[in-house]
Amino acid sequence: MSDVRLSNGSPTLERTDPRVSEHPKPSACRSLFGSVDHEELKKDLKGHLREMEEAASAEWGFDFANHTPLANDRFRWEAVSYRDVPDFYHRPPRREKGVCSAGNNNVDLNGNHSCVLVTAPGGDTDRSEGPMECTEQCTGLRKRPACHDPSAQNKRSHTSSEEVSCSSLSHAAEHTPRKTSPKRQT
Amino acid sequence: MEDQLLCCEVDSIRRAYQDVNLLNDRVLHTMLKAEETYLPSPNYFKCVQKDIVPKMRKIVATWMLEVCEEQKCEEEVFPLAMNYLDRFLSVEATRKTRLQLLGATCMFLASKMKETVPLTAEKLCIYTDNSVQPGELLQMELLVLNKLKWDLASVTPHDFIEHFLSKLKVHPSTKQILRKHAQTFVALCATDVNFIASPPSMVAAGSVVAAVQGLYLKSQDASLSSQNLTNFLSQVIRSDPDCLRSCQEQIESLLESSLRQAQQHSSTTETKRMEEDVDLSSTPTDVRDINI
């Protein structure tokens, strides 16, 4: 039996090599459909993101940009201490070694711009080593409104940690929605 | 010594073992039910898109496959990314100058879904010859997520291949080669517009049949003859044998035309080397030819 090779990039039957770190082959780096209209793209994306944020605001009765509840009859929002929610909602992202070596230190392994560190005031367990320390230098992308997309959240709509997941700001307390249903679960 | 061991651990890719408990009919039926919800609209070129034509999808798909190959992505990343791309294009009119940005974003997401060490935005932007910036890609990511309703757990043909192989009585080493061939067919299908509306189970079954055919396994076992296998797998996926047969034929003719194209390319240019490699070397018949 013979080996099947998809290409030189793929080992025989199962890929076992780690990701290649060298620079991509020049032939694979190409612009396919002409130059991108960056200004217009920026404007359009901004528009889309604003629409998404507005839709989420309407859905949840919450002004995500200003972190304040809107007047609405569907949810009642309560502040919850960040200490009362699981730590993955507020701990800083883990950084792997060598991730930042590519030169752009604002982009991490997943391409996320340096996210906001939520070492909340008095946060004791969070380590803050030099390179791990995220800075708040990136502005536009920090608030990711789609975090508030309803469909991403509805599975947890009864937990009390609802909105804290997206409170990437260093607020010690957050608002939490509660359905204004007459029945309270115990 | 210890250092070396440590090095090895860090460098190789770690995968979860295949859970055989998941290869049962209950899971298979759930997948067959679930796959419908992830199908793109079959005629989005006509109904939604104004600027994008089928030929452009082929171009961006070929590029995406090349990037996935070069970055040694897991096999399912490419078909998954194509599923995202088609689903996005099914609902959102997009300019052709932004199609590559969309392709890169879909790879970004698919890689995050399937890989322990995902592709970075930065690297993907390099592959666009820096025609796209990381910031744009990240914003596009949000838009794509929103349009896909944050549902990225699409069922892909890869999910089915393992189930089908587990039902075939072939030697494990043959199975491995069969898997590889079937996966190659799946990737090929993902580049072709004619398979946009085909359910993943159908593409997977067609690919497995085509792989068995290509490897001439039927001579070893009557149950692997084209007809028997087609009948069997069409029952497994609850489809019509004729449907499956025509899907298989479509896959084979796609392979043939890709091969022909590759040969033409090979005589003319060298820039298409990669694509040619993919097409030429991935063919079962071709591999056999080399061996004989």
Side-chain angles (χ1 to χ4, degrees), chain A:
Chain A
M1 281 297 180
S2 66
D3 288 344
V4 190
R5 283 185 164 266
L6 202 59
S7 79
N8 294 334
S10 122
T12 49
L13 288 166
E14 196 179 24
R15 297 179 186 197
T16 48
D17 300 349
R19 173 96 63 229
V20 276
S21 53
E22 319 95 62
H23 283 291
K25 233 192 262 173
S27 66
C29 302
R30 48 182 193 259
S31 170
L32 301 179
F33 305 106
S35 59
V36 178
D37 40 349
H38 291 284
E39 280 309 308
E40 227 176 329
L41 175 66
K42 202 167 146 190
K43 209 181 78 201
D44 287 355
L45 284 172
K46 223 174 173 175
H48 277 297
L49 297 188
R50 197 175 48 239
E51 264 172 40
M52 283 155 53
E53 193 160 339
E54 279 165 9
S57 271
E59 172 92 16
W60 292 95
F62 194 89
D63 180 353
F64 293 106
N66 297 312
H67 284 266
T68 46
L70 300 168
N72 72 97
D73 51 4
R74 292 184 60 228
F75 299 107
R76 190 156 58 88
W77 292 79
E78 281 174 22
V80 159
S81 164
Y82 81 97
R83 288 175 198 278
D84 296 339
V85 299
D87 78 326
F88 56 80
Y89 286 123
H90 53 76
R91 71 175 173 222
R94 210 179 73 191
R95 288 188 166 237
E96 296 199 21
K97 279 180 285 176
V99 168
C100 296
S101 60
N104 184 351
N105 288 332
N106 292 338
V107 180
D108 76 2
L109 191 64
N110 291 337
N112 295 320
H113 279 258
S114 57
C115 7
V116 185
L117 183 63
V118 198
T119 322
D124 37 13
T125 49
D126 293 328
R127 288 171 298 143
S128 32
E129 299 158 10
M132 273 193 60
E133 188 72 67
C134 303
T135 47
E136 297 209 353
Q137 51 188 278
C138 131
T139 48
L141 293 157
R142 201 177 58 198
K143 286 173 199 154
R144 310 188 68 169
C147 284
H148 307 289
D149 185 284
S151 55
Q153 294 200 346
N154 53 17
K155 283 180 182 157
R156 295 196 306 263
S157 54
H158 285 291
T159 64
S160 60
S161 51
E162 188 82 26
E163 288 310 322
V164 189
S165 60
C166 300
S167 70
S168 25
L169 296 170
S170 327
H171 289 176
E174 279 302 335
H175 299 284
T176 301
R178 287 258 164 80
K179 290 243 176 184
T180 48
S181 66
K183 261 199 224 164
R184 280 292 293 269
Q185 286 173 329
T186 42

Side-chain angles (χ1 to χ4, degrees), chain A residues 1-25 27-38 40-42 44-46 48-49 51-52 102-104 107-113 140-141 144-147 149 151-152, chain B residues 11-13 15 56 59-60 63 66 68-73 75 92 95-101 108 111-112 115 117-123 126-129 131-136 138-143 146 149-150 176-177 180-181 184 274 277-278 281-282 287 291:
Chain A
M1 281 297 180
S2 66
D3 288 344
V4 190
R5 283 185 164 266
L6 202 59
S7 79
N8 294 334
S10 122
T12 49
L13 288 166
E14 196 179 24
R15 297 179 186 197
T16 48
D17 300 349
R19 173 96 63 229
V20 276
S21 53
E22 319 95 62
H23 283 291
K25 233 192 262 173
S27 66
C29 302
R30 48 182 193 259
S31 170
L32 301 179
F33 305 106
S35 59
V36 178
D37 40 349
H38 291 284
E40 227 176 329
L41 175 66
K42 202 167 146 190
D44 287 355
L45 284 172
K46 223 174 173 175
H48 277 297
L49 297 188
E51 264 172 40
M52 283 155 53
N104 184 351
V107 180
D108 76 2
L109 191 64
N110 291 337
N112 295 320
H113 279 258
L141 293 157
R144 310 188 68 169
C147 284
D149 185 284
S151 55
Chain B
D11 278 355
S12 71
I13 285 207
R15 286 189 181 82
M56 295 170 186
I59 293 172
V60 77
W63 171 74
E66 197 174 329
C68 287
E69 287 287 308
E70 203 183 293
Q71 285 298 312
K72 299 189 165 102
C73 291
E75 299 280 357
E92 186 76 12
R95 290 184 205 183
K96 71 172 182 200
T97 50
R98 296 176 187 175
L99 186 57
Q100 192 172 19
L101 169 62
F108 188 49
S111 172
K112 281 194 202 181
E115 303 198 277
V117 182
L119 296 168
T120 61
E122 225 186 359
K123 197 171 261 174
I126 294 175
Y127 275 110
T128 68
D129 203 18
S131 66
V132 165
Q133 295 152 9
E136 293 167 341
L138 296 188
Q139 291 200 319
M140 190 66 181
E141 181 187 22
L142 272 182
L143 180 61
N146 190 264
K149 301 194 167 29
W150 290 78
Q176 231 182 353
I177 293 169
K180 184 70 186 176
H181 280 280
T184 305
M274 190 79 182
D277 276 358
V278 171
S281 55
S282 62
V287 170
N291 277 320

